[in-house]
Amino acid sequence: GALVALEFALGWPERCLRVVALNAVFRRTAEQRAAVIQRAQDLRTSGIGATLDATLARWFGVSEAG
């Protein structure tokens, strides 16, 4: 969410008076930053469908239920 808010503020400053970014990418290792960049590229080229399962697994863990 923080990255989306920052992108919005940069892209449409006339529509954004203030922005606070909490839990944004901060102090990540080079490997973690590379993974974030790769996910952004995947979203651009393949759309959300290509990253949805991996994102849900990363956020919530892998469910044993069907």
Side-chain angles (χ1 to χ4, degrees):
L3 295 177
V4 173
L6 291 171
E7 184 68 24
F8 180 87
L10 290 169
W12 295 273
E14 70 281 358
R15 298 189 70 189
C16 183
L17 297 176
R18 293 174 181 85
V19 65
V20 175
L22 302 175
N23 293 323
V25 178
F26 179 71
R27 289 190 181 176
R28 294 201 178 177
T29 65
E31 181 179 299
Q32 290 169 325
R33 283 193 301 275
V36 170
I37 292 167
Q38 183 61 54
R39 285 193 298 272
Q41 290 173 347
D42 291 344
L43 282 168
R44 256 187 244 109
T45 59
S46 302
I48 195 168
T51 64
L52 188 57
D53 289 341
T55 299
L56 292 175
R58 190 174 66 255
W59 288 353
F60 303 111
V62 177
S63 173
E64 295 297 321

